[in-house]
Amino acid sequence: MEKTASPEYIDVHAHVNFPDYDADRDEVISRSLDAGTWLINVGTSLATSQKIVEIAERYEQGVYAIVGLHPTHVEEERFDIVAFEKLVAHPKTVGVGECGIDLFRLPEELNNEIDRARVYKNQEEDFLKQIDLAVKYDKPVMIHARESYQDILKVLDAAFITHGAKLRGNAHFFAGSIEEAKAFLDRGFTVSFTGVITFAAQYRELVKWVPLDRMLSETDCPFVTPVPFRGKRNEPLYVQEVVKKIAEIKELPIEEVKKALLDNARRQFGI
């Protein structure tokens, strides 16, 4: 694909590889690039990670990949280090994930403590494997945390003993408390916000508190479509609404916020 101009925005967490975009994927991506918005597609399994690398390869610039295994998939697929390492080493891959721990969407059949403990152990093990691979290739981890911020922090602290400052990353779709945000920032991580901040008032205090140079913007599309597009399928282009809302909450000029978030993303992911 033709090289795109330098961006004004970057959606650091999209899923344009999902079936929601099968009918018009190229149009969605082109619409984003034409509007000065770059995007990073994020894998959730080996198959989806392979697909996002293939998508990124079609574009000289502006479309990138983060490859990894989502914690809710460990019951059906364990992290294959050999297969994933080939994807992590790819020049269009800018991170590893989304990986982490999810205590919200445990399978319904796990109705006893023994099964739940097994799934938790598997999620933790695969999270650590992905951290190791990210550090090996000097790429950040994209963290998925659902009802598990304290568990994630414990895993990170254990990993820091081995890896030190080489371990870095972003807590995606951050929905925790200010205290939990501070814990990630204290460990050198960034946090990212989605379109949910455009319609859920409880995020205002959190967004206002997080320093501008420590946050990123994302859509997590096709999910959580921002205002004014509620009810429609989300897409990377709509990250612009997230950036506008951050500027509004922080009472800062939009141009200042755009530049800061762009610089943060390029620095974090090396793009």
Side-chain angles (χ1 to χ4, degrees):
M1 293 277 183
E2 189 174 315
K3 187 174 181 179
T4 63
S6 182
E8 293 185 78
Y9 305 87
I10 299 181
D11 177 3
V12 304
H13 194 114
H15 298 289
V16 183
N17 53 297
F18 279 12
D20 306 69
Y21 305 96
D22 282 352
D24 62 347
R25 183 171 292 109
D26 290 339
E27 290 87 345
V28 168
I29 293 174
S30 293
R31 188 156 54 238
S32 178
L33 297 179
D34 290 346
T37 302
W38 286 6
L39 61 133
I40 304 174
N41 279 316
V42 181
T44 54
S45 65
L46 180 58
T48 57
S49 294
Q50 290 169 331
K51 185 168 185 175
I52 62 175
V53 169
E54 292 171 0
I55 292 171
E57 285 178 328
R58 302 206 302 265
Y59 296 83
E60 183 178 348
Q61 195 177 30
V63 181
Y64 303 90
I66 290 177
V67 300
L69 179 66
H70 195 287
T72 59
H73 290 332
V74 300
E75 282 298 274
E76 61 204 48
E77 173 188 349
R78 296 307 303 275
F79 187 69
D80 185 335
I81 294 178
V82 175
F84 270 104
E85 184 159 10
K86 296 177 182 177
L87 298 175
V88 174
H90 194 281
K92 293 304 291 286
T93 296
V94 297
V96 177
E98 58 189 286
C99 54
I101 296 173
D102 190 316
L103 301 180
F104 177 76
R105 288 179 289 187
L106 291 175
E108 292 182 4
E109 63 270 19
L110 300 180
N111 53 10
N112 64 75
E113 289 302 313
I114 294 176
D115 282 345
R116 290 175 68 88
R118 173 180 53 79
V119 171
Y120 181 90
K121 181 173 180 291
N122 289 343
Q123 288 189 12
E124 184 180 46
E125 286 180 353
D126 282 0
F127 183 24
L128 283 166
K129 289 177 183 177
Q130 292 177 84
I131 288 173
D132 290 344
L133 200 53
V135 171
K136 180 177 180 179
Y137 285 88
D138 190 26
K139 295 180 180 181
V141 289
M142 177 66 75
I143 289 178
H144 171 96
R146 190 111 187 242
E147 296 188 0
S148 60
Y149 287 115
Q150 294 305 316
D151 299 88
I152 292 286
L153 291 166
K154 288 177 183 177
V155 173
L156 290 178
D157 285 345
F160 274 121
I161 294 173
T162 303
H163 300 302
K166 293 180 180 178
L167 170 55
R168 57 195 175 90
N170 175 67
H172 130 79
F173 200 150
F174 194 81
S177 65
I178 287 177
E179 291 72 21
E180 287 166 332
K182 184 178 185 301
F184 280 96
L185 301 187
D186 286 348
R187 288 160 176 79
F189 276 61
T190 54
V191 299
S192 56
F193 295 108
T194 68
V196 72
I197 70 170
T198 68
F199 57 84
Q202 66 264 32
Y203 287 89
R204 291 189 67 91
E205 186 179 359
L206 174 64
V207 172
K208 196 169 187 66
W209 180 85
V210 174
L212 184 59
D213 65 348
R214 304 299 301 284
M215 65 169 62
L216 302 172
S217 54
E218 59 161 298
T219 61
D220 198 24
C221 64
F223 313 112
V224 291
T225 307
V227 172
F229 303 105
R230 298 293 292 157
K232 299 180 180 180
R233 179 193 62 181
N234 202 1
E235 59 182 78
L237 178 61
Y238 298 162
V239 77
Q240 297 185 15
E241 301 303 324
V242 179
V243 176
K244 290 176 187 176
K245 191 65 178 182
I246 291 172
E248 175 193 315
I249 291 172
K250 287 189 166 295
E251 299 178 334
L252 292 172
I254 183 65
E255 292 302 322
E256 178 182 343
V257 174
K258 282 169 57 176
K259 182 180 186 306
L261 296 178
L262 178 62
D263 289 346
N264 297 345
R266 300 189 82 163
R267 181 170 60 250
Q268 177 74 286
F269 300 105
I271 55 179

